[in-house]
């Protein structure tokens, strides 16, 4: 009989665990919420969160067996279910953690794409490691299906192997919508009036709201509305002051961006059972009413865009026509920051992968395949600081099979590297000019004359040596020759 050493599963970490990092980035864990770690192991996450001012506690059957299992705003069940060999016990633990979650439950488990150790013994639906611990690896869709069938409610993918389960459907939709909402830029004040100059500080919260939402707020949506009402009487009158100092074209651009964000959100909400309008948070309802004739009309437009992502000739044409990103015969490569600027069809094309896998941590380059429905997330550490960053990992999401593939590259074994970084980013990217100056220098030195040889770190170093140059940051310098 196989003996499972569960007491050996907890590991020491020198940083926050991945699901906790993701929940912090998504604003699910914050100082106005309590946090409970169900299966906290040695308590590393708790110590680090407490240092951030988060009210937190935890329980673990080995390391904190006498601690209370307390209700909290956010409950984390991180990498617990994958070390339980009994499927019935797994489900019981999931339900127990859900019972403690007042607002959101975080569930994380290891995925099939992760490497299996060389020494492992098959056991039940997983394997036993050399240390005697059990591991069950999941497919992303398998984990989501198991969570939803066990709890009888929908989940939202936060990242590979990480899901959020919300108590409130409105908060579920807010999370999904916020992933698609982006402020491209603030509007420019192009002229001024005495009235604006006199009250511009009072008007700033209204201006910020308009830039964010593209519509007028209800009084209750603007916490600083009272000073505006005291001076102008109504939000509408204050709005007219802003209309006099900003060209109508700028407002049109803001509204267009905001309506596109809504359409992308509504298109992708099809993957998680699109809710009724009444189930949406009130601010989302106001957005939809402001930009579309009806919720049905908005959903019909979103459906048409979603359907377009299956038209690969159209996807290919939009990739070729894109003024953003680096186009190759097979794909359009873009920096993640460029996604909001793409055509809505391409945003939804990428969003189909995101709706399945969630946010891929550390992936800063997105590859949109032109010939087949596939999206890849590429991780290039030190993209900003390294003149030619090396590829660390690639996560491929095929949009037909959703059988994800993970490939990692050893930094010591000649990984692929990037050139012409300015092509991947938008004109507004802070370091774009710096990247472009480096490319211009490299072209002058003839470093791109043999493009087939420079795609890997070793090949690039060979070219640099052959040309008698080296790099100092984002500058090309001639190598000094010893006498």
């Amino acid at each position: 009989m196989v003996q499972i050493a569960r007491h050996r599963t907890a590991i020491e970490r020198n940083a926050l665990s991945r699901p906790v990092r993701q929940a912090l980035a998504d604003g699910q864990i914050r100082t106005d919420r309590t946090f409970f770690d169900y299966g906290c192991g040695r308590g590393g996450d708790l110590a680090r969160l407490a240092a951030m001012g988060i009210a937190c506690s935890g329980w673990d059957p080995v390391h904190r067996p006498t601690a209370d299992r307390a209700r909290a705003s956010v409950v984390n069940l991180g990498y617990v279910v994958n070390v339980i060999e009994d499927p019935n016990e797994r489900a019981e633990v999931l339900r127990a953690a859900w019972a403690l979650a007042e607002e959101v439950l975080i569930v994380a488990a290891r995925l099939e794409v992760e490497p299996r150790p060389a020494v492992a013994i098959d056991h039940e639906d997983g394997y036993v490691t050399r240390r005697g611990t059990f591991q069950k690896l999941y497919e992303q869709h398998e984990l989501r299906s198991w969570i939803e069938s066990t709890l009888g409610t929908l989940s939202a993918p936060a990242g590979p192997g990480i899901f959020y389960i919300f108590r409130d459907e409105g908060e579920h939709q807010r999370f999904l919508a916020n992933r698609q909402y982006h402020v491209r830029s603030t509007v420019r004040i192009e002229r001024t009036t005495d009235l604006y100059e006199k009250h511009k500080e009072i008007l700033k919260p209204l201006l910020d709201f308009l830039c964010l939402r593209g519509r007028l707020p209800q009084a209750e949506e603007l916490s600083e509305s009272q000073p505006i009402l005291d001076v102008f009487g109504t939000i509408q009158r204050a709005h007219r002051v802003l209309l006099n100092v900003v060209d109508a074209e700028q407002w049109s651009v803001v509204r267009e961006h905001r309506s596109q964000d809504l359409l992308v959100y509504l298109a992708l909400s099809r993957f998680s059972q699109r809710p009724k309008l009444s189930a949406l948070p009130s601010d989302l309802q106001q957005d939809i009413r402001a930009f579309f004739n009806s919720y049905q009309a908005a959903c019909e437009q979103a459906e048409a865009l979603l359907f377009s992502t299956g038209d690969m000739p159209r996807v290919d044409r939009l990739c070729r026509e894109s003024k953003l990103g680096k186009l190759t015969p097979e794909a359009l490569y873009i920096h993640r920051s460029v996604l909001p600027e793409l055509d809505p069809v391409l945003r939804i094309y990428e969003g189909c992968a995101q709706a399945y896998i969630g946010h891929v941590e550390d992936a800063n380059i997105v590859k949109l395949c032109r010939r087949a429905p596939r999206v890849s997330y590429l991780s290039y550490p030190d993209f900003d600081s390294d003149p030619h960053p090396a590829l660390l990992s690639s996560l491929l999401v095929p949009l037909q099979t959703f059988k994800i593939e993970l490939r990692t590259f050893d930094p010591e074994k000649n990984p692929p590297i990037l050139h012409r970084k300015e092509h991947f980013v938008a004109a507004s990217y802070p370091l774009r000019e710096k990247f472009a100056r480096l490319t211009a220098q490299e072209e002058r030195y003839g470093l791109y004359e043999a493009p087939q040889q420079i795609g890997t770190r070793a090949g690039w170093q060979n070219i640099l040596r052959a040309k008698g140059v080296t790099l100092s940051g984002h500058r090309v310098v001639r190598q000094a020759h010893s006498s």
Side-chain angles (χ1 to χ4, degrees):
M1 181 177 179
V2 177
Q3 296 295 317
I4 306 300
R6 287 195 190 174
H7 62 284
R8 294 181 178 175
T9 58
I11 61 174
E12 292 278 8
R13 290 191 176 93
N14 56 14
L16 288 167
S17 65
R18 194 163 62 86
V20 170
R21 287 200 307 270
Q22 189 62 59
L24 279 166
D26 289 333
Q28 299 304 320
I29 300 174
R30 52 182 193 257
T31 55
D32 64 340
R33 284 179 163 181
T34 55
F35 175 87
F36 184 81
D37 201 351
Y38 195 112
C40 62
R42 301 177 188 275
D45 280 342
L46 294 176
R48 293 178 179 90
L49 290 177
M52 299 177 188
I54 307 292
C56 56
S57 59
W59 171 86
D60 189 86
V62 174
H63 299 281
R64 297 193 184 196
T66 61
D68 291 335
R69 280 178 265 191
R71 290 177 61 81
S73 305
V74 181
V75 173
N76 178 47
L77 189 67
Y79 304 113
V80 171
V81 297
N82 51 281
V83 300
I84 299 174
E85 69 278 10
D86 182 352
N88 292 326
E89 185 181 350
R90 270 181 229 151
E92 290 172 5
V93 167
L94 177 63
R95 285 190 285 264
W98 176 233
L100 298 177
E102 296 173 341
E103 297 186 59
V104 60
L105 172 66
I106 307 164
V107 179
R110 295 180 59 191
L111 296 182
E112 284 279 3
V113 292
E114 299 180 33
R116 177 169 166 161
V119 178
I121 302 171
D122 289 337
H123 180 71
E124 299 295 338
D125 56 356
Y127 62 86
V128 178
T129 69
R130 178 187 295 176
R131 298 175 67 242
T133 60
F134 175 82
Q135 286 291 343
K136 154 70 176 167
L137 303 184
Y138 289 84
E139 295 284 356
Q140 178 85 352
H141 66 84
E142 176 192 8
L143 179 59
R144 183 175 193 174
S145 177
W146 175 73
I147 292 169
E148 294 182 350
S149 62
T150 302
L151 299 182
T153 190
L154 296 175
S155 64
I162 306 172
F163 291 87
Y164 299 148
I165 305 92
F166 293 92
R167 283 287 175 194
D168 181 71
E169 175 60 18
E171 289 306 306
H172 183 168
Q173 295 306 318
R174 187 187 302 282
F175 167 73
L176 297 176
N178 284 345
R179 283 228 155 144
Q180 306 306 328
Y181 288 176
H182 306 275
V183 179
R184 276 63 159 190
S185 62
T186 56
V187 297
R188 300 180 308 278
I189 303 299
E190 296 176 320
R191 53 191 169 273
T192 192
T193 64
D194 292 342
L195 193 56
Y196 172 76
E197 286 297 326
K198 183 178 179 180
H199 299 294
K200 62 182 178 182
E201 291 304 316
I202 291 175
L203 289 166
K204 187 176 186 306
L206 176 59
L207 181 62
D208 291 343
F209 186 95
L210 289 165
C211 291
L212 177 66
R213 314 291 299 208
R215 63 169 174 84
L216 282 177
Q218 300 295 311
E220 63 274 11
E221 291 183 288
L222 202 62
S223 59
E224 304 92 337
S225 63
Q226 194 55 52
I228 296 174
L229 296 175
D230 291 343
V231 172
F232 297 99
T234 66
I235 296 292
Q236 288 76 11
R237 288 175 183 169
H239 182 219
R240 285 198 286 271
V241 176
L242 295 176
L243 292 178
N244 288 331
V245 297
V246 177
D247 279 348
E249 183 179 348
Q250 287 196 66
W251 294 122
S252 296
V253 170
V254 171
R255 288 179 60 85
E256 176 64 18
H257 285 162
R258 184 60 171 165
S259 62
Q260 286 183 6
D261 290 346
L262 284 166
L263 287 173
V264 173
Y265 153 66
L266 289 172
L268 297 176
S269 70
R270 185 68 181 272
F271 292 98
S272 59
Q273 192 173 315
R274 184 179 295 144
K276 296 179 179 178
L277 180 63
S278 59
L280 297 179
S282 60
D283 56 341
L284 275 178
Q285 294 185 41
Q286 294 293 339
D287 288 346
I288 290 168
R289 292 188 178 106
F291 294 109
F292 303 99
N293 292 330
S294 67
Y295 186 48
Q296 181 179 347
C299 291
E300 288 174 355
Q301 288 188 50
E303 288 286 325
L305 290 172
L306 180 61
F307 181 76
S308 296
T309 63
D311 182 352
M312 289 310 299
R314 181 174 181 178
V315 169
D316 177 44
R317 176 176 59 79
L318 291 172
C319 287
R320 286 186 282 107
E321 293 176 352
S322 175
K323 297 178 181 178
L324 299 163
K326 182 176 182 179
L327 189 70
T328 71
E330 298 298 323
L332 177 68
Y333 292 78
I334 57 168
H335 190 271
R336 183 183 287 277
S337 62
V338 169
L339 280 171
E341 308 294 334
L342 293 179
D343 181 275
V345 172
L346 293 182
R347 287 182 63 188
I348 296 170
Y349 181 59
E350 183 277 332
C352 291
Q354 186 186 124
Y356 178 75
I357 204 68
H359 176 80
V360 182
E361 189 180 38
D362 297 329
N364 42 18
I365 299 295
V366 180
K367 176 183 177 182
L368 304 177
C369 294
R370 298 168 50 193
R371 311 300 184 194
R374 298 195 300 262
V375 176
S376 292
Y377 297 93
L378 314 178
S379 175
Y380 288 91
D382 306 314
F383 176 86
D384 285 346
S385 59
D386 189 331
H388 297 286
L391 180 59
L392 181 64
S393 64
S394 169
L395 184 71
L396 169 66
V397 184
L399 299 182
Q400 290 177 323
T401 66
F402 289 106
K403 183 76 172 176
I404 62 176
E405 300 174 23
L406 175 66
R407 185 179 179 189
T408 58
F409 298 83
D410 188 332
E412 305 301 321
K413 293 183 179 178
N414 196 26
I417 63 173
L418 283 185
H419 298 82
R420 304 180 187 273
K421 291 192 296 181
E422 69 278 6
H423 289 185
F424 300 94
V425 300
S428 59
Y429 196 78
L431 298 175
R432 190 180 188 280
E433 289 186 12
K434 182 179 183 178
F435 299 162
R437 285 196 299 270
L438 173 63
T439 295
Q441 265 195 304
E442 291 174 338
E443 287 175 337
R444 287 197 298 272
Y445 278 96
L447 301 180
Y448 294 161
E449 291 173 353
Q452 70 280 4
Q453 298 179 28
I454 65 174
T456 63
R457 179 177 283 164
W460 178 241
Q461 291 298 327
N462 289 338
I463 293 293
L464 292 176
R465 282 192 293 270
K467 295 291 185 178
V469 298
T470 188
L471 293 178
S472 176
H474 282 70
R475 287 190 309 116
V476 181
V477 295
R478 291 195 178 278
Q479 289 182 322
H481 297 284
S482 57
S483 56

